[in-house]
Amino acid sequence: MSIAPRNRWLVLTAVILAFLPVVVDMTILHIAVPSLTVALGASGTEILWIIDIYPLIMAGLLVPMGTLGDRVGHRRLMLTGLAIFGTASVCAAFSQTAMMLILARVLLAIGSSMIIPSVLALIRQAFDDPKERALALGVWTTVASAGAAIGPLAGGFLLEHFWWGSVFLINVPVMLVVLPAVYFLIPNRPVAAQGSWKIGHALLLIAGLIATVYAVKSGFKAGPSVWVFGFLALGLGLMAWFGRLQVAAAEPLLDLTLFRKPAISVGMLMAFVASGSLAGFELLLAQELQYVYGRTPLQAGLFMMPLVVASAIAGPIAGKLAGRFGLRWLGTVGLAAASLALFGISQSNIGGDDVVIACLMALLGFALGVGLLASSAAIMGAAPVDKAGAAGSLEATGYELGAGLGITFFGVLLSAIYRSNFGLGLAGEAGVAAHSIGEAMVVAQKIGGAEGEMIAQTARTAFASAHASVLMVTAALIAALSVVVFVALRNEGTAGAGGVAVGH
């Protein structure tokens, strides 16, 4: 069934409108963390779950949802995803507890994992002409980058005028427009149910990831215990089982045999580190700007613009650089520059050196954006033509997984250093102030007076010091990775950008 030429662009408009709130939702919540922490009385661990349950669920569901769309129709899958996403947005906006918000974020991730594969598939179906399709995909890529970039700014603007739930409620009017647009503009297409839908494998991966992340977070907060080691063993065991199933399956959910190619292994490692560093840094910076330096949400969102804008524009520029200098030098220099930027930020006064920090954040965003492009090109360039789809699935999973695990890494490391820096020996209920800066601010607000201000000031000092330490550790790890990339890609010649990095 072909689509009339004049209707193709209406189809593109509909699917792009459906995609925009999904990609904005990936970053908009970072700026709202201080507000919802106080409103819900959430602990530091709960905040980490609120943020990274979304990418962890997405990492496991993107591939099987794409396969499901092939079987039931991508129009039907997108409509279902939009309905779930809109309903989950309302649930998230009016959550009364941290656990309610975590569960709502799970629903948001399920809806998003239905929408994202459907967007690409519907664009492919609507545009038969390669030139038109390239233009349509270019629009999609631009919206993906712009959406991630405007997330913090949009969140800051909403929180300046409304309560924290508005960052979710804003999705509802968009869904009310998009749902009928998708229903009426996108035609039904016959689908050929083929292949197997390996949702069990996806759930196995998600369960393994969540159990492992839970063990890591609990171990850093409460110390080693039988329960911590038990969950860690369970998580690692489930992921090992998942890996064994993929290697043995004739049609695996994720083709792990691709890791035998060094370029793909290195590319996935770069994707992990670049997407994880961006997500973790954005989250902690948003908290430091508001908790430590008293910036409003809108001021914090504006302050973060150099980072997110530079990361958004890095892809097209890096694509041209890759063709000229090759992936080895692009990846190595990009990661080295990110390392230098992180170290520079760790040694600067975030509250005072605005121009210096803005330049360093722009360098960091651009360098990590280059790293994402280099990782994508390395993965897609090394994959055999007949396994391009499998490589693309592996790449998309890597980005989401990297974001989730990056938030976990930044969060638990900062939490551990924060607790060691928090000098007040508070007892009873006030003792939770030593767990995280969010909990410290809740306690300080509850106690009030001179004692409350002393707790708040101690928390600010401990958090700023811990954040600087985390940035230095991350800078060292990324510097080491740049050396690994330089050595591992020594046999890779000059190549163009074989894939597109989005959602970072």
Side-chain angles (χ1 to χ4, degrees):
M1 181 186 298
S2 61
I3 298 177
R6 66 179 181 179
N7 292 337
R8 291 174 192 159
W9 302 105
L10 292 177
V11 170
L12 179 64
T13 301
V15 298
I16 290 298
L17 282 174
F19 180 59
L20 184 58
V22 172
V23 71
V24 170
D25 203 62
M26 293 177 182
T27 57
I28 195 172
L29 190 57
H30 293 174
I31 214 77
V33 163
S35 300
L36 67 87
T37 299
V38 174
L40 298 179
S43 69
T45 301
E46 287 172 332
I47 288 298
L48 288 181
W49 278 118
I50 289 169
I51 299 293
D52 65 10
I53 196 68
Y54 186 87
L56 290 177
I57 297 293
M58 288 266 284
L61 289 183
L62 274 176
V63 178
M65 287 302 181
T67 304
L68 180 63
D70 292 336
R71 293 170 64 83
V72 304
H74 288 284
R75 175 180 178 271
R76 178 184 298 177
L77 188 70
M78 175 174 276
L79 288 170
T80 304
L82 290 170
I84 292 174
F85 192 86
T87 302
S89 296
V90 175
C91 295
F94 295 103
S95 295
Q96 300 299 305
T97 65
M99 182 53 67
M100 287 179 63
L101 184 53
I102 291 169
L103 294 176
R105 291 278 286 171
V106 170
L107 276 181
L108 280 168
I110 294 172
S112 296
S113 67
M114 294 179 174
I115 295 169
I116 291 176
S118 300
V119 168
L120 290 171
L122 290 170
I123 290 175
R124 175 64 185 87
Q125 291 172 2
F127 293 90
D128 294 324
D129 181 76
K131 291 183 179 179
E132 285 190 348
R133 189 188 315 137
L135 179 59
L137 289 172
V139 172
W140 167 74
T141 303
T142 301
V143 170
S145 299
I150 67 173
L153 189 60
F157 176 80
L158 289 170
L159 291 169
E160 197 83 1
H161 299 90
F162 307 102
W163 95 114
W164 66 266
S166 61
V167 301
F168 296 108
L169 206 58
I170 191 65
N171 295 330
V172 176
V174 178
M175 292 298 108
L176 292 178
V177 172
V178 171
L179 267 167
V182 170
Y183 183 83
F184 289 110
L185 291 176
I186 297 177
N188 274 314
R189 283 178 176 268
V191 293
Q194 55 186 355
S196 57
W197 191 47
K198 300 184 182 299
I199 188 62
H201 290 199
L203 295 178
L204 190 64
L205 174 61
I206 292 171
L209 287 171
I210 290 177
T212 302
V213 170
Y214 176 81
V216 171
K217 291 177 180 178
S218 299
F220 270 90
K221 182 172 183 178
S225 68
V226 174
W227 282 107
V228 168
F229 285 115
F231 271 101
L232 182 61
L234 174 63
L236 294 176
L238 289 175
M239 286 193 289
W241 185 13
F242 169 82
R244 184 176 179 180
L245 289 175
Q246 302 318 296
V247 172
E251 296 180 4
L253 179 66
L254 293 176
D255 189 352
L256 300 183
T257 61
L258 290 168
F259 279 114
R260 294 171 184 168
K261 293 182 174 291
I264 292 180
S265 298
V266 173
M268 285 297 292
L269 188 57
M270 283 193 288
F272 261 70
V273 172
S275 59
S277 297
L278 265 177
F281 179 74
E282 283 181 17
L283 175 60
L284 298 192
L285 179 62
Q287 293 182 67
E288 182 165 5
L289 289 170
Q290 294 176 74
Y291 281 139
V292 179
Y293 297 107
R295 304 284 178 101
T296 66
L298 181 57
Q299 289 171 335
L302 288 169
F303 190 91
M304 295 169 66
M305 280 298 98
L307 173 75
V308 291
V309 170
S311 68
I313 66 174
I317 298 174
K320 295 181 179 180
L321 294 176
R324 182 170 183 178
F325 298 106
L327 296 179
R328 184 191 189 195
W329 284 104
L330 190 70
T332 300
V333 173
L335 291 171
S339 175
L340 287 174
L342 280 171
F343 183 77
I345 294 171
S346 74
Q347 301 302 304
S348 303
N349 178 11
I350 291 180
D353 302 331
D354 285 5
V355 175
V356 173
I357 293 295
C359 293
L360 287 171
M361 287 201 304
L363 175 60
L364 175 64
F366 187 84
L368 290 177
V370 167
L372 284 168
L373 185 282
S375 70
S376 179
I379 293 167
M380 300 306 294
V385 175
D386 62 333
K387 291 192 174 183
S393 299
L394 196 65
E395 179 187 0
T397 301
Y399 290 139
E400 295 300 331
L401 194 54
L405 297 182
I407 289 168
T408 297
F409 171 78
F410 271 72
V412 298
L413 184 58
L414 181 130
S415 179
I417 300 173
Y418 169 87
R419 285 199 302 273
S420 68
N421 290 343
F422 193 88
L424 296 180
L426 301 175
E429 186 179 350
V432 300
H435 294 163
S436 72
I437 191 170
E439 288 164 287
M441 292 305 175
V442 172
V443 169
Q445 187 179 67
K446 188 179 298 183
I447 293 177
E451 185 180 356
E453 179 54 34
M454 179 181 65
I455 293 173
Q457 187 54 46
T458 301
R460 293 187 190 104
T461 302
F463 186 92
S465 176
H467 193 187
S469 298
V470 170
L471 293 184
M472 285 191 285
V473 171
T474 307
L477 292 174
I478 293 178
L481 178 60
S482 70
V483 176
V484 171
V485 170
F486 185 77
V487 174
L489 295 183
R490 61 188 179 276
N491 295 322
E492 297 297 316
T494 300
V500 178
V502 298
H504 58 277

